[in-house]
Amino acid sequence: MTATDGSHRGMRPVTLRYWAGARAAAGVTEETFEAGPRVGDVLDAAVAAHPALRDVVAVCSVLLDGRSVGRDAEVGLDKVVEVLPPFAGG
């Protein structure tokens, strides 16, 4: 996680939403990070802030504005990244 003043080159505000086990590990439903340009940067910032997320994020699906993406996907300005753990029984 970095300063939220946008002073770091390539940093942008990104909203993270956590579901199910990810929410439990993070201890919050939603938060905003200033992170680098890729989904992986955002996830790394979340894990740095909430170490209990490390194992959860490793098996989660990640959505960027409702679309499934990988860690290398570029995050634009004012985007929402959702962290969805696997669901049992599906």
Side-chain angles (χ1 to χ4, degrees):
M1 188 163 53
T2 64
T4 57
D5 65 4
S7 62
H8 293 91
R9 186 180 183 123
M11 298 297 205
R12 58 201 63 192
V14 178
T15 299
L16 267 79
R17 287 192 188 133
Y18 304 106
W19 298 97
R23 180 184 304 159
V28 296
T29 300
E30 182 177 293
E31 62 190 332
T32 300
F33 286 95
E34 288 279 337
R38 306 221 179 271
V39 167
D41 299 321
V42 178
L43 296 176
D44 291 346
V47 168
H50 309 287
L53 273 173
R54 182 174 314 284
D55 292 339
V56 178
V57 166
V59 297
C60 283
S61 295
V62 178
L63 303 180
L64 176 61
D65 285 345
R67 246 179 4 134
S68 181
V69 296
R71 291 181 61 89
D72 291 334
E74 186 155 336
V75 179
L77 296 174
D78 300 318
K79 297 296 180 179
V80 175
V81 174
E82 297 181 78
V83 181
L84 296 128
F87 292 92

